Amino acid sequence: MAWSKMRQLLEGFLCPTLYGRVEYCATSYRYLPDKAGFCYITVNKKNVFNMSDVTTLIRWYQTEQEIKNEPNLIIPIDNEEIEAVRKDTNGTVPEDRLVVIARKRKISEYAKTLLSAQSALCKSNFYVLANMFLAASIEESIESDDILLNILALVDRRVGKKRLLSMTENMKLKHPIVQYFYELRLSAL
């Protein structure tokens, strides 16, 4: 789906009191070698939630290095993960290296999970999650662990006052940016 159509659909679901205040923006530059682009959500023309392709890989690498160099962090590797590495390498890797490779894969997964939790999403993630939001029910988006799905659901016109007020306790456990959009929506009631 083209960005203009997706933006139109997303803004069509906005709560009437937030229409014009909350905007979804995406830019991309055709002539840059890495075709970097930015997606961000603005509130009152101020960028409050940024998804950047340029810095995500750098932060992912930094997070991966921090996890790898943390002496107190123990990452357990089970036999299934070792067997998956053995299968991927066709049995040509020595046994002691299989554990190292499996540990490295698990560290990368943890780094991705941490970045996602810290809201360091990229433009391609925004497109995927926006399509998921448009296809799923509002309940699935509200109950999701994904930050962007929570934000899109909170500013949605299908979420009424009664449901918003009943979510107060659950919002205390959410990411700070989700709490920000929750407060924004409460102030718009």
Side-chain angles (χ1 to χ4, degrees), residues 50 77 84 86 95 102 108-109 111 118 152 168-169 176 180 186:
N50 190 21
I77 307 296
R86 183 176 288 126
E95 289 295 317
S108 291
E109 289 175 24
Q118 294 169 358
L152 293 173
T168 304
E169 290 300 316
Y180 170 81
L186 284 179

Side-chain angles (χ1 to χ4, degrees), residues 12-177:
F13 279 115
L14 275 175
C15 166
T17 56
L18 295 178
Y19 192 79
R21 291 180 61 196
V22 175
E23 295 177 357
Y24 306 106
C25 305
T27 61
S28 57
Y29 304 100
R30 179 191 306 180
Y31 298 109
L32 284 179
D34 60 354
K35 294 186 178 22
F38 302 101
C39 277
Y40 50 96
I41 300 174
T42 63
V43 176
N44 298 328
K45 306 290 185 205
K46 183 181 176 189
N47 186 350
V48 294
F49 187 59
N50 190 21
M51 294 149 271
S52 170
D53 278 339
V54 176
T55 60
T56 301
L57 292 177
I58 295 169
R59 280 197 257 160
W60 177 22
Y61 178 75
Q62 289 171 341
T63 306
E64 190 175 340
Q65 292 303 313
E66 289 171 4
I67 292 171
K68 188 187 297 183
N69 295 329
E70 176 63 39
N72 297 328
L73 184 65
I74 299 171
I75 298 175
I77 307 296
D78 58 5
N79 288 334
E80 293 173 6
E81 293 165 341
I82 294 172
E83 286 301 317
V85 172
R86 183 176 288 126
K87 184 179 176 184
D88 290 345
T89 58
N90 296 326
T92 59
V93 177
E95 289 295 317
D96 58 334
R97 293 297 300 163
L98 290 174
V99 175
V100 173
I101 294 170
R103 185 173 189 277
K104 173 89 170 117
R105 285 183 180 178
K106 202 157 189 181
I107 287 172
S108 291
E109 289 175 24
Y110 282 146
K112 285 180 190 178
T113 305
L114 276 173
L115 277 180
S116 180
Q118 294 169 358
S119 73
L121 301 170
C122 64
K123 184 177 177 182
S124 57
N125 288 354
F126 181 79
Y127 286 146
V128 169
L129 290 171
N131 277 324
M132 194 182 306
F133 171 76
L134 293 171
S137 70
I138 195 70
E139 287 81 18
E140 290 176 23
S141 298
I142 288 173
E143 295 169 2
S144 172
D145 291 332
D146 194 274
I147 295 167
L148 187 59
L149 286 176
N150 291 156
I151 291 170
L152 293 173
L154 285 172
V155 297
D156 195 299
R157 68 174 183 242
R158 296 175 288 177
V159 178
K161 181 178 180 179
K162 187 176 180 181
R163 184 183 286 174
L164 277 172
L165 294 175
S166 70
M167 294 172 20
T168 304
E169 290 300 316
N170 292 341
M171 285 299 130
K172 292 178 182 176
L173 304 174
K174 297 284 186 175
H175 191 274
I177 194 69

